PDB file of all heavy atoms in Angstrom:
ATOM      1  N   GLY A   1    -110.901   4.726  -9.907  1.00  0.00           N
ATOM      2  CA  GLY A   1    -112.228   4.774 -10.350  1.00  0.00           C
ATOM      3  C   GLY A   1    -112.727   3.552 -11.204  1.00  0.00           C
ATOM      4  O   GLY A   1    -113.747   3.584 -11.802  1.00  0.00           O
ATOM      5  N   ALA A   2    -111.854   2.536 -11.271  1.00  0.00           N
ATOM      6  CA  ALA A   2    -112.254   1.234 -12.038  1.00  0.00           C
ATOM      7  C   ALA A   2    -113.184   0.356 -11.280  1.00  0.00           C
ATOM      8  O   ALA A   2    -113.740  -0.603 -11.837  1.00  0.00           O
ATOM      9  CB  ALA A   2    -110.976   0.517 -12.384  1.00  0.00           C
ATOM     10  N   ALA A   3    -113.289   0.513  -9.884  1.00  0.00           N
ATOM     11  CA  ALA A   3    -114.219  -0.278  -9.065  1.00  0.00           C
ATOM     12  C   ALA A   3    -114.996   0.564  -8.072  1.00  0.00           C
ATOM     13  O   ALA A   3    -114.503   1.697  -7.825  1.00  0.00           O
ATOM     14  CB  ALA A   3    -113.445  -1.229  -8.349  1.00  0.00           C
ATOM     15  N   ASP A   4    -116.240   0.263  -7.764  1.00  0.00           N
ATOM     16  CA  ASP A   4    -116.991   0.973  -6.828  1.00  0.00           C
ATOM     17  C   ASP A   4    -116.700   0.608  -5.352  1.00  0.00           C
ATOM     18  O   ASP A   4    -116.773   1.424  -4.584  1.00  0.00           O
ATOM     19  CB  ASP A   4    -118.490   0.781  -7.206  1.00  0.00           C
ATOM     20  CG  ASP A   4    -118.927   1.319  -8.472  1.00  0.00           C
ATOM     21  OD1 ASP A   4    -118.262   2.367  -9.109  1.00  0.00           O
ATOM     22  OD2 ASP A   4    -119.799   0.848  -9.266  1.00  0.00           O
ATOM     23  N   LYS A   5    -116.734  -0.735  -5.137  1.00  0.00           N
ATOM     24  CA  LYS A   5    -116.516  -1.299  -3.945  1.00  0.00           C
ATOM     25  C   LYS A   5    -115.516  -2.477  -4.055  1.00  0.00           C
ATOM     26  O   LYS A   5    -115.509  -3.150  -5.088  1.00  0.00           O
ATOM     27  CB  LYS A   5    -117.823  -1.732  -3.212  1.00  0.00           C
ATOM     28  CG  LYS A   5    -118.814  -0.621  -3.011  1.00  0.00           C
ATOM     29  CD  LYS A   5    -120.069  -1.247  -2.225  1.00  0.00           C
ATOM     30  CE  LYS A   5    -121.071  -0.157  -2.001  1.00  0.00           C
ATOM     31  NZ  LYS A   5    -122.308  -0.685  -1.452  1.00  0.00           N
ATOM     32  N   ALA A   6    -114.791  -2.852  -2.980  1.00  0.00           N
ATOM     33  CA  ALA A   6    -113.946  -4.020  -3.086  1.00  0.00           C
ATOM     34  C   ALA A   6    -113.908  -4.770  -1.862  1.00  0.00           C
ATOM     35  O   ALA A   6    -113.918  -4.197  -0.742  1.00  0.00           O
ATOM     36  CB  ALA A   6    -112.572  -3.443  -3.415  1.00  0.00           C
ATOM     37  N   THR A   7    -113.866  -6.087  -1.989  1.00  0.00           N
ATOM     38  CA  THR A   7    -113.747  -7.043  -0.867  1.00  0.00           C
ATOM     39  C   THR A   7    -112.531  -7.882  -1.204  1.00  0.00           C
ATOM     40  O   THR A   7    -112.447  -8.517  -2.306  1.00  0.00           O
ATOM     41  CB  THR A   7    -114.969  -7.932  -0.695  1.00  0.00           C
ATOM     42  OG1 THR A   7    -116.068  -7.135  -0.427  1.00  0.00           O
ATOM     43  CG2 THR A   7    -114.818  -8.872   0.428  1.00  0.00           C
ATOM     44  N   GLY A   8    -111.516  -8.004  -0.190  1.00  0.00           N
ATOM     45  CA  GLY A   8    -110.482  -8.900  -0.353  1.00  0.00           C
ATOM     46  C   GLY A   8    -110.412  -9.941   0.651  1.00  0.00           C
ATOM     47  O   GLY A   8    -110.835  -9.728   1.770  1.00  0.00           O
ATOM     48  N   LEU A   9    -109.976 -11.156   0.181  1.00  0.00           N
ATOM     49  CA  LEU A   9    -109.973 -12.321   1.041  1.00  0.00           C
ATOM     50  C   LEU A   9    -108.572 -12.843   1.019  1.00  0.00           C
ATOM     51  O   LEU A   9    -107.981 -13.053  -0.130  1.00  0.00           O
ATOM     52  CB  LEU A   9    -111.065 -13.419   0.574  1.00  0.00           C
ATOM     53  CG  LEU A   9    -112.441 -13.111   0.502  1.00  0.00           C
ATOM     54  CD1 LEU A   9    -113.209 -14.299   0.212  1.00  0.00           C
ATOM     55  CD2 LEU A   9    -112.946 -12.485   1.915  1.00  0.00           C
ATOM     56  N   ASP A  10    -108.050 -13.194   2.133  1.00  0.00           N
ATOM     57  CA  ASP A  10    -106.687 -13.764   2.090  1.00  0.00           C
ATOM     58  C   ASP A  10    -106.508 -14.584   3.398  1.00  0.00           C
ATOM     59  O   ASP A  10    -106.965 -14.134   4.419  1.00  0.00           O
ATOM     60  CB  ASP A  10    -105.645 -12.656   2.093  1.00  0.00           C
ATOM     61  CG  ASP A  10    -104.236 -13.189   1.589  1.00  0.00           C
ATOM     62  OD1 ASP A  10    -103.505 -13.799   2.401  1.00  0.00           O
ATOM     63  OD2 ASP A  10    -103.981 -13.111   0.391  1.00  0.00           O
ATOM     64  N   ILE A  11    -105.617 -15.598   3.377  1.00  0.00           N
ATOM     65  CA  ILE A  11    -105.360 -16.438   4.483  1.00  0.00           C
ATOM     66  C   ILE A  11    -104.386 -15.862   5.473  1.00  0.00           C
ATOM     67  O   ILE A  11    -104.350 -16.249   6.705  1.00  0.00           O
ATOM     68  CB  ILE A  11    -104.805 -17.769   3.972  1.00  0.00           C
ATOM     69  CG1 ILE A  11    -104.976 -18.886   5.211  1.00  0.00           C
ATOM     70  CG2 ILE A  11    -103.366 -17.773   3.561  1.00  0.00           C
ATOM     71  CD1 ILE A  11    -104.778 -20.348   4.784  1.00  0.00           C
ATOM     72  N   ASP A  12    -103.658 -14.822   5.089  1.00  0.00           N
ATOM     73  CA  ASP A  12    -102.569 -14.184   5.982  1.00  0.00           C
ATOM     74  C   ASP A  12    -103.129 -13.123   6.773  1.00  0.00           C
ATOM     75  O   ASP A  12    -103.484 -11.997   6.363  1.00  0.00           O
ATOM     76  CB  ASP A  12    -101.476 -13.609   4.982  1.00  0.00           C
ATOM     77  CG  ASP A  12    -100.257 -13.253   5.789  1.00  0.00           C
ATOM     78  OD1 ASP A  12    -100.390 -12.694   6.863  1.00  0.00           O
ATOM     79  OD2 ASP A  12     -99.089 -13.628   5.216  1.00  0.00           O
ATOM     80  N   THR A  13    -103.330 -13.414   8.070  1.00  0.00           N
ATOM     81  CA  THR A  13    -103.956 -12.376   9.031  1.00  0.00           C
ATOM     82  C   THR A  13    -103.083 -11.101   9.103  1.00  0.00           C
ATOM     83  O   THR A  13    -103.686 -10.022   9.109  1.00  0.00           O
ATOM     84  CB  THR A  13    -103.882 -12.934  10.396  1.00  0.00           C
ATOM     85  OG1 THR A  13    -104.707 -14.267  10.338  1.00  0.00           O
ATOM     86  CG2 THR A  13    -104.671 -12.142  11.378  1.00  0.00           C
ATOM     87  N   ALA A  14    -101.815 -11.199   9.030  1.00  0.00           N
ATOM     88  CA  ALA A  14    -101.060  -9.954   9.132  1.00  0.00           C
ATOM     89  C   ALA A  14    -101.241  -9.136   7.883  1.00  0.00           C
ATOM     90  O   ALA A  14    -101.409  -7.908   7.927  1.00  0.00           O
ATOM     91  CB  ALA A  14     -99.497 -10.277   9.296  1.00  0.00           C
ATOM     92  N   LYS A  15    -101.173  -9.678   6.717  1.00  0.00           N
ATOM     93  CA  LYS A  15    -101.500  -8.873   5.508  1.00  0.00           C
ATOM     94  C   LYS A  15    -102.870  -8.344   5.551  1.00  0.00           C
ATOM     95  O   LYS A  15    -103.013  -7.145   5.051  1.00  0.00           O
ATOM     96  CB  LYS A  15    -101.234  -9.805   4.295  1.00  0.00           C
ATOM     97  CG  LYS A  15     -99.723 -10.113   4.023  1.00  0.00           C
ATOM     98  CD  LYS A  15     -99.639 -10.973   2.686  1.00  0.00           C
ATOM     99  CE  LYS A  15     -98.195 -11.370   2.564  1.00  0.00           C
ATOM    100  NZ  LYS A  15     -97.959 -12.166   1.381  1.00  0.00           N
ATOM    101  N   ILE A  16    -103.832  -9.015   5.945  1.00  0.00           N
ATOM    102  CA  ILE A  16    -105.220  -8.478   6.016  1.00  0.00           C
ATOM    103  C   ILE A  16    -105.271  -7.193   6.996  1.00  0.00           C
ATOM    104  O   ILE A  16    -105.840  -6.266   6.596  1.00  0.00           O
ATOM    105  CB  ILE A  16    -106.165  -9.536   6.472  1.00  0.00           C
ATOM    106  CG1 ILE A  16    -106.439 -10.494   5.317  1.00  0.00           C
ATOM    107  CG2 ILE A  16    -107.589  -8.886   6.877  1.00  0.00           C
ATOM    108  CD1 ILE A  16    -107.089  -9.939   4.054  1.00  0.00           C
ATOM    109  N   GLY A  17    -104.452  -7.271   8.071  1.00  0.00           N
ATOM    110  CA  GLY A  17    -104.423  -6.117   8.998  1.00  0.00           C
ATOM    111  C   GLY A  17    -103.869  -4.937   8.221  1.00  0.00           C
ATOM    112  O   GLY A  17    -104.257  -3.795   8.486  1.00  0.00           O
ATOM    113  N   VAL A  18    -102.768  -5.164   7.532  1.00  0.00           N
ATOM    114  CA  VAL A  18    -102.141  -4.078   6.719  1.00  0.00           C
ATOM    115  C   VAL A  18    -103.064  -3.520   5.724  1.00  0.00           C
ATOM    116  O   VAL A  18    -103.230  -2.229   5.543  1.00  0.00           O
ATOM    117  CB  VAL A  18    -100.903  -4.654   6.083  1.00  0.00           C
ATOM    118  CG1 VAL A  18    -100.368  -3.626   5.015  1.00  0.00           C
ATOM    119  CG2 VAL A  18     -99.779  -4.928   7.118  1.00  0.00           C
ATOM    120  N   ALA A  19    -103.750  -4.428   5.091  1.00  0.00           N
ATOM    121  CA  ALA A  19    -104.774  -3.888   3.981  1.00  0.00           C
ATOM    122  C   ALA A  19    -105.893  -2.987   4.590  1.00  0.00           C
ATOM    123  O   ALA A  19    -106.255  -2.108   4.053  1.00  0.00           O
ATOM    124  CB  ALA A  19    -105.400  -5.221   3.245  1.00  0.00           C
ATOM    125  N   ARG A  20    -106.369  -3.513   5.741  1.00  0.00           N
ATOM    126  CA  ARG A  20    -107.500  -2.721   6.410  1.00  0.00           C
ATOM    127  C   ARG A  20    -106.993  -1.417   6.739  1.00  0.00           C
ATOM    128  O   ARG A  20    -107.768  -0.328   6.573  1.00  0.00           O
ATOM    129  CB  ARG A  20    -107.952  -3.451   7.634  1.00  0.00           C
ATOM    130  CG  ARG A  20    -108.819  -4.732   7.385  1.00  0.00           C
ATOM    131  CD  ARG A  20    -109.003  -5.508   8.582  1.00  0.00           C
ATOM    132  NE  ARG A  20    -109.916  -6.532   8.460  1.00  0.00           N
ATOM    133  CZ  ARG A  20    -110.090  -7.656   9.298  1.00  0.00           C
ATOM    134  NH1 ARG A  20    -109.365  -7.567  10.400  1.00  0.00           N
ATOM    135  NH2 ARG A  20    -110.873  -8.661   8.945  1.00  0.00           N
ATOM    136  N   ALA A  21    -105.767  -1.203   7.343  1.00  0.00           N
ATOM    137  CA  ALA A  21    -105.312   0.103   7.686  1.00  0.00           C
ATOM    138  C   ALA A  21    -105.115   0.887   6.561  1.00  0.00           C
ATOM    139  O   ALA A  21    -105.483   2.205   6.474  1.00  0.00           O
ATOM    140  CB  ALA A  21    -103.946  -0.078   8.517  1.00  0.00           C
ATOM    141  N   ALA A  22    -104.580   0.438   5.414  1.00  0.00           N
ATOM    142  CA  ALA A  22    -104.270   1.209   4.111  1.00  0.00           C
ATOM    143  C   ALA A  22    -105.678   1.574   3.453  1.00  0.00           C
ATOM    144  O   ALA A  22    -105.593   2.607   2.820  1.00  0.00           O
ATOM    145  CB  ALA A  22    -103.420   0.412   3.289  1.00  0.00           C
ATOM    146  N   ALA A  23    -106.649   0.890   3.645  1.00  0.00           N
ATOM    147  CA  ALA A  23    -107.975   1.227   2.887  1.00  0.00           C
ATOM    148  C   ALA A  23    -108.896   2.056   3.748  1.00  0.00           C
ATOM    149  O   ALA A  23    -109.911   2.307   3.257  1.00  0.00           O
ATOM    150  CB  ALA A  23    -108.639  -0.134   2.673  1.00  0.00           C
ATOM    151  N   GLU A  24    -108.372   2.689   4.871  1.00  0.00           N
ATOM    152  CA  GLU A  24    -109.224   3.568   5.634  1.00  0.00           C
ATOM    153  C   GLU A  24    -109.869   4.558   4.758  1.00  0.00           C
ATOM    154  O   GLU A  24    -109.230   5.221   4.003  1.00  0.00           O
ATOM    155  CB  GLU A  24    -108.410   4.102   6.786  1.00  0.00           C
ATOM    156  CG  GLU A  24    -109.293   5.019   7.708  1.00  0.00           C
ATOM    157  CD  GLU A  24    -108.430   5.564   8.850  1.00  0.00           C
ATOM    158  OE1 GLU A  24    -107.185   5.248   8.863  1.00  0.00           O
ATOM    159  OE2 GLU A  24    -108.987   6.296   9.752  1.00  0.00           O
ATOM    160  N   GLY A  25    -111.168   4.775   4.916  1.00  0.00           N
ATOM    161  CA  GLY A  25    -111.929   5.764   4.206  1.00  0.00           C
ATOM    162  C   GLY A  25    -112.409   5.296   2.851  1.00  0.00           C
ATOM    163  O   GLY A  25    -113.141   6.101   2.154  1.00  0.00           O
ATOM    164  N   LEU A  26    -111.949   4.145   2.437  1.00  0.00           N
ATOM    165  CA  LEU A  26    -112.372   3.727   1.165  1.00  0.00           C
ATOM    166  C   LEU A  26    -113.525   2.701   1.252  1.00  0.00           C
ATOM    167  O   LEU A  26    -113.759   2.092   2.214  1.00  0.00           O
ATOM    168  CB  LEU A  26    -111.257   3.060   0.385  1.00  0.00           C
ATOM    169  CG  LEU A  26    -110.035   3.943  -0.010  1.00  0.00           C
ATOM    170  CD1 LEU A  26    -109.003   3.091  -0.619  1.00  0.00           C
ATOM    171  CD2 LEU A  26    -110.443   5.159  -0.904  1.00  0.00           C
ATOM    172  N   ALA A  27    -114.271   2.398   0.107  1.00  0.00           N
ATOM    173  CA  ALA A  27    -115.347   1.421   0.124  1.00  0.00           C
ATOM    174  C   ALA A  27    -114.693  -0.025  -0.073  1.00  0.00           C
ATOM    175  O   ALA A  27    -114.910  -0.586  -1.148  1.00  0.00           O
ATOM    176  CB  ALA A  27    -116.296   1.774  -1.094  1.00  0.00           C
ATOM    177  N   ALA A  28    -113.910  -0.322   0.960  1.00  0.00           N
ATOM    178  CA  ALA A  28    -113.334  -1.621   0.841  1.00  0.00           C
ATOM    179  C   ALA A  28    -113.327  -2.353   2.188  1.00  0.00           C
ATOM    180  O   ALA A  28    -113.424  -1.738   3.216  1.00  0.00           O
ATOM    181  CB  ALA A  28    -111.883  -1.442   0.442  1.00  0.00           C
ATOM    182  N   ARG A  29    -113.458  -3.616   2.102  1.00  0.00           N
ATOM    183  CA  ARG A  29    -113.241  -4.480   3.456  1.00  0.00           C
ATOM    184  C   ARG A  29    -112.440  -5.718   3.053  1.00  0.00           C
ATOM    185  O   ARG A  29    -112.404  -6.249   1.908  1.00  0.00           O
ATOM    186  CB  ARG A  29    -114.576  -4.954   3.924  1.00  0.00           C
ATOM    187  CG  ARG A  29    -115.393  -5.907   3.060  1.00  0.00           C
ATOM    188  CD  ARG A  29    -116.811  -6.185   3.666  1.00  0.00           C
ATOM    189  NE  ARG A  29    -117.515  -7.199   2.959  1.00  0.00           N
ATOM    190  CZ  ARG A  29    -117.487  -8.487   3.109  1.00  0.00           C
ATOM    191  NH1 ARG A  29    -116.774  -8.942   4.107  1.00  0.00           N
ATOM    192  NH2 ARG A  29    -118.243  -9.296   2.360  1.00  0.00           N
ATOM    193  N   PHE A  30    -111.679  -6.006   4.026  1.00  0.00           N
ATOM    194  CA  PHE A  30    -110.679  -7.229   3.786  1.00  0.00           C
ATOM    195  C   PHE A  30    -110.968  -8.133   5.011  1.00  0.00           C
ATOM    196  O   PHE A  30    -111.051  -7.864   6.149  1.00  0.00           O
ATOM    197  CB  PHE A  30    -109.272  -6.657   3.862  1.00  0.00           C
ATOM    198  CG  PHE A  30    -108.985  -5.817   2.737  1.00  0.00           C
ATOM    199  CD1 PHE A  30    -109.050  -4.457   2.872  1.00  0.00           C
ATOM    200  CD2 PHE A  30    -108.618  -6.281   1.518  1.00  0.00           C
ATOM    201  CE1 PHE A  30    -108.840  -3.547   1.773  1.00  0.00           C
ATOM    202  CE2 PHE A  30    -108.356  -5.509   0.444  1.00  0.00           C
ATOM    203  CZ  PHE A  30    -108.482  -4.031   0.564  1.00  0.00           C
TER     204      PHE A  30
END
């Protein structure tokens, strides 16, 4: 509850794919 929405940027395509799967249902995009 410390953030309302989150956007993450990273150069590593594989890690971004992992982040997207883990954030399913949350107000987040990677």
Side-chain angles (χ1 to χ4, degrees):
D4 297 327
K5 297 180 179 180
T7 299
L9 304 180
D10 200 279
I11 197 171
D12 191 318
T13 302
K15 288 181 179 179
I16 288 295
V18 169
R20 287 172 175 166
E24 184 178 358
L26 297 178
R29 66 183 181 93
F30 296 95

